[in-house]
Amino acid sequence: MSEELLRIDDLHVAFSTRRGMVEAVRGVTLTVKAGEMLGLVGESGSGKSVTGFATTRLLDAAGRVTAGKILFRGQDVTKLRGDDLRQLQGAAMSMIFQNPRAALNPIRAIGLQIADAILTHKRISKEAARAEALDLLRAVQIRDPEARMNAYPHELSGGMCQRVMIAIAISCNPALLIADEPTTGLDVTTQKVVMDLLADIAAARGMATILITHDLGLAARYCRRIAVMERGRIVEEASPGILFSAPQHAYTRRLVAASPTATSRIEDLVTEEERERYAPIVSKSRREPAHGTPPLLEVRKLAKRFDQGAAAVADFSMTMAGGESVGLVGESGSGKSTTSRMICRLIDPSEGDIVFDGQSIGHVAARDFHRSPLRKDIQMVFQDPNESLNPRFSAFDCIAHPLMRLGGMRAGEGLRKRVEECAERVGLPLDLLPRFPHQLSGGQKARVGIARAIACRPRLLVLDEPTAALDVSVQAVVLQLLDRLRRENDIALLFVSHDLNVVRMLCERTIVLRNGGIVEQGESRALFDNPKTDYTRKLVEAIPHIETGPMLAAAL
Amino acid sequence: MDRRTVLKGLAGAGSLALTGGLSAPAIAQGAAARTLRFVPQANLANFDPIWGTQYVVRNAAAMVWDTLYGIDSSFRPQRQMVESEEVTDDGTTWTFKLRPGLKFHDGEPVLSKDVVASLTRWSARDPMGLMIKALQQELTAVDDRTFKWVLKQPFPKLLYALGKNNSPCSFIMPERIAQTDPFKQISEYIGSGPLKFAKSEWVPGAKAVFEKFADYSPRQEKSSWLAGGKQVMVDRVEWVIMPDPATAAAALQNGEIDWWENPIADLVPVLKKNKNISVDIGDPLGNIGSFRMNFLYPPFNDVRARRAVLMALSQEDYMRAIVGDDNSLWKPLPGYFTPDTPLYTEVGGEILKGKRDLDAAKKLLAESGYSGQPVTCLVAQDQPITKAMGDVTADLLKKLGMNVDFVATDWGTVGSRRAQKTPPGQGGWNMFHTWHAGADCVNPAPYTAIRANGDKAWFGWPTSEATEKEVASWFEAKNIDEEKAAMGRLNKAAIDDVVYAPTGFFLSYTAWRKNVTGVAKGPLPFFWGVSKSA
Amino acid sequence: MLSYILRRIVATLPVMAIVALFVFSLLYIAPGDPAVVIAGDQASPEDVERIRQSLGLDRPFLVQFGGWVWRILHGDLGTSIFTNLPVSAMIGQRLGPTLSLMIVTLLLTIVVAVPLGVVAAWKAGSLIDRVIMGFAVFGFSLPVFVVGYMLAYIFALELEWLPVQGYTPLSQGFWPWLENLILPAIALGCVYIALVARITRAAMLEVLQQDYIRTAKAKGLGQGGILFIHALKNAAVPIVTVIGIGIALLIGGAVVTESVFAIPGLGRLTIDAILRRDYPVIQGIVLLFSFVYVLVNLMIDVVYTLVDPRIRY
């Protein structure tokens, strides 16, 4: 089992863009042995996916291998043409992609899509191919596979779609499987099931696997060897144990630090030098609200029914004090986003009431709430900073907009000062203010989104998966920022996320939702350390913590 | 419902429509040589030559229905269906006898009662017919072949009226059809002429088919225009309507058609170059262009303003705009009547001759009291002839210092708007262009446009007592010299009062393939005597 | 599905009623008068007036409209003022040629434009792409009659391969029928091919960037399989839409094409009727066209469901 299957040697990949050639991969060298699972970890833009695409020859038309070799069973993949190439693709080597629903043809029955792959490489009848496809659906543990053969992707859940993708990928028993962020975007519980399945299948069939991921925890859980990439280069390669206990490269150290673990605190997410500056803020004890102070937010028996079918949210009640942080967690479809939007007054509840600072706002129609004086007290930060910023507004305009609309400020010196103040609060360099969203990095955009939300000095900030699209290092910084805002400005945070590690660190209290109802709630640490319901326990266990010991032992 | 059913249904519906629509019988190879394919000047949109008076209807009708008399190429009425006629000395009672053996296309004999009904319907619509009707005492059938027309006063031009080629002609139809209200359309086309109308093959706007009528008995004389023996040498005449002249030209070059009635001037050089095609003047009587003015409202209610137009207008400009550079296609026309016909005259036409005097015209216009009111010109853009003249007129009136209100529209609109007697600002008009077939301008009888009896006159409602007086004296003229004298005076009177402004005389070509022989020059295309070799 | 189609057809009735009223009013207020055209240039105003009376054109608007609607409801489209033939018979005579022209053009367009668009998208940015798109711009900007003349000159006059003009019904044989339709279909199809090719290219370009195309490549599928099985069907909705919209374009273009190639179709009948003010014919044709248009839209919607399983009615 130690023969060398794939050898990438000094690989360079460049993309031609409007600003000239950009090197995405600059000298990657790595090997994969038959049957092993290699983790390729890095943040966005590190070149890890590009390396995968170059290996499977699926680079965009703009991308080109400019130097180096990719030897697969001794044959240079970069030089293959025509039929030779097609015999390799899907047969000897296959790939699984991020966002499985988009990776499947939306208007072709999934049985046919699996059969397509089989028929491309085997000279068998359509019936035989169909029978094989059915076996594959069974192999990836899809329930009722006969009926699912004729289903279309939109009729399946994300996890099911990824299983179908796996079925396609393994249909011709490839020697190498490249899985590019196979579980990103899936619920934690689904993530675990899919990854377990993938690992089992790879082991059973003796397939070598490259797991490309940004999630160090995930790689640590399933791989015996991890290569860390940064800016087109491999900076370190080691077993997970060594990587976590004694990271050599500065980048690896930062990455390891930023990756949340079962026990990490927000202040742990940065390297030690940075931690020192943060310590005094955390140590400052929060002043307790005077006894008998009414809660900032009180939600009573909230329910939401959409046009057809069951309630999306039912009988939801909670309270929040000023400056408190509460996490709202659950799988997709549990109703957490719907609840947060009702509290933000973006959608109208079907039943129940919302009382903010002693005033009932549940009955103000959502479309009129922007005129309410309370609008500026409740602000939100959205999931995807790319899509929630107006591409025609500069960073300055984005932050100034709510000040003018809600704060009644006019353009001028006063406005400029306030905007700069907000930018400073969120750590956004002032020279970035004239830039437009596309000229900013993901982390910078997230800061603009937060600066915009705090511009009017709200008392409640509702955050809907604010870090889901961010790299871990950026996530760490944003989480610290939010925590600091809460502590220093007494802003209450309602934090909606499926990432339990993050919620545990940031939120004092956590509410677990399932199918629109509250399953469990309580003080975060207690809840995670000692879940009372199976559902919560399953959620907690599914988190790919960086737990070096037991997994490795099991694998060895 | 699945995809296949949809497709099947579609295919079924499609093939039904495709095969069911036009089901002309297939023409065998040999028969093609006996079919003459002709592209007429316009679409045969209706086929009642009394009800609808367009030339194209008359041309088709001349194949299908015969007349009692026929005008020959020297404008004399000759016997056609009539065997003999008698007139009493006082000129009031006419007795006619039909030729024996005349048959309608349904096989029935042509009888006096059919003639009486046909003449009655015709005389209700034809200008000359109306004059006769006004004098009529009785029109009766004496026996099957004899009929009598009794008038209160003599009408010397009676036989001319019965044989003239101007629309409507006095075509003879079966009695039951001729009894149709003259203002309603007939729907049965039983003819008396040398060709039958194949109604089942008629696609108005696209095709009309005429078949040789075997039982027609032609006269023995040589044919000359509408007179003489109408011997049909082909089995079928197919009229193919082609809206696009370039297509007609190509089809003629390709041999897909045999004869094109009126090739446009631009395409004539191409046709002339082709050795398989003959090109010649088709109708020697040509056309007269008209600049028609409204006598009811300023500025053209004043004769000085009308004369100013005559003084300034250059017929050469108008004619070149219509026919292009071909000098054989036009003539200056210092008068109103068709050149190269027996009664042609230029008396009084000096104002239209010689160098154009714009300054004098402007002065005259000023004297008329014109001071910049808008002059509404109705110009049909869908007719090449009126469009060409309209462009010249806009330029001319501007040069005269007039304020031109140019209404570019289609012929249908000009047709109805010119009938409005309201002031130009309220739906009326000041001038429009048209043209008259030279055949209608050989003498005053068919020439409605020359009449100047005010309200009763043609559009523009000219009033000129002198003109009207001379029209009457032509009708009363007993011989050719008297006629000529009356015509001279008429021409002068009409020019003096400017009944309308003639813009010139123009001709057009006709073109046919060289394997077609016997194409005669005349006011309409004659299909008898024409033969085709393979 | 069937009930949906039935409901849609019923829903067209008010649309057609509005179209009918609109057209009738428009004709009523438009200048021009059929009586004038019938009477000819030499007729007296009295004659014109008597013809108007005999045609019933002097009656009040509502009486005329009411009478017309009443007859329509009884399945009678009326009688042409000019030819004295039933409007339905006149339309029937012209339906075959126009339908033939449309069908041949449609097939030609699909057979030519879709592969061109697919190839252009596949080879986006290459010389082939630029040549195809160059042709598309060319086809779009050349008027139908210019293309028609050029084709007739080259293929009929010079090479003598095909006839210049005319129409032969299908009942006289397939080739004689097709022979007369090839040039007109190309002339008429030019704009349409250009349009469909462009839309196909745009739709394909978008689809080719989708993740599932990458999946198809990763499976090792051949270029043809990727383009035609996976990409084209996904791009089909906009293509089908534009083909449908194009049918309206075809109706307009058919008028010119039928004139240039002397095809006795509905387009020419329309123009003739409008120029002569043959009201019953104009109304009948407009009614027919609006019905066809509604039907085409319905067909497009039905085709959507065949192409895309996510669309359901």
Side-chain angles (χ1 to χ4, degrees), chain C residues 198-270:
Chain C
R198 287 196 71 103
I199 297 292
T200 304
R201 177 180 181 271
M204 285 291 286
L205 271 183
E206 167 132 19
V207 168
L208 286 176
Q209 284 170 3
Q210 300 296 316
D211 287 357
Y212 52 83
I213 297 301
R214 196 177 52 199
T215 305
K217 280 186 200 157
K219 286 185 206 170
L221 251 59
Q223 202 59 252
I226 291 173
L227 287 176
F228 288 96
I229 296 177
H230 289 275
L232 184 56
K233 217 179 159 196
N234 271 294
V237 166
I239 299 174
V240 167
T241 309
V242 80
I243 287 174
I245 292 170
I247 289 178
L249 212 69
L250 280 188
I251 292 175
V255 174
V256 180
T257 314
E258 286 171 5
S259 292
V260 168
F261 290 96
I263 295 169
L266 281 171
R268 272 172 65 194
L269 182 64
T270 314

Side-chain angles (χ1 to χ4, degrees), chain B residues 114-167:
Chain B
D114 301 310
V115 174
V116 167
S118 298
L119 293 180
T120 305
R121 185 162 188 259
W122 164 79
S123 62
R125 294 295 305 274
D126 183 63
M128 283 184 92
L130 285 163
M131 293 168 82
I132 299 167
K133 202 177 164 192
L135 303 175
Q136 174 177 315
Q137 192 147 342
E138 60 168 349
L139 171 62
T140 49
V142 177
D143 61 35
D144 278 356
R145 281 175 55 208
T146 316
F147 64 98
K148 198 168 68 176
W149 212 338
V150 183
L151 306 177
K152 292 170 194 152
Q153 283 171 36
F155 189 78
K157 303 282 185 295
L158 183 71
L159 299 187
Y160 182 86
L162 294 177
K164 71 178 171 68
N165 53 26
N166 316 106
S167 200

